[in-house]
Amino acid sequence: SGANAQKATILTPLDNENWVTQGTGKAPNVKTIYFQFYAPQTVRYVKFELLRSTGSLYVSEAYIYNNAQ
């Protein structure tokens, strides 16, 4: 059976080869981890690194949206 991620890191590419960590969220025993950028990002790709200590890990959805006002 699947399990929740214990920690998630979000990264964006600096130059399409080197990735920069934008933040890490720790979330034991929750199904949703939220990230918010503190400065606007102009990127084509976003990478998520998920950590689970044991067992399987399933990702069902990832949403990225602009919340600019």
Side-chain angles (χ1 to χ4, degrees), residues 5-10 23-27 33 35 48-51:
Q6 293 178 339
K7 184 169 83 170
T9 301
I10 188 167
T24 298
K26 295 180 182 178
I33 301 172
F35 289 95
F48 298 93
E49 293 180 347
L50 305 172
L51 173 70

Side-chain angles (χ1 to χ4, degrees), residues 23-57:
T24 298
K26 295 180 182 178
N29 302 320
V30 298
K31 293 183 179 183
T32 304
I33 301 172
Y34 294 96
F35 289 95
Q36 179 177 348
F37 293 111
Y38 292 105
Q41 302 289 315
T42 302
V43 297
R44 186 174 193 166
Y45 302 102
V46 175
K47 178 167 53 171
F48 298 93
E49 293 180 347
L50 305 172
L51 173 70
R52 171 76 183 146
S53 61
T54 60
S56 300
L57 177 67

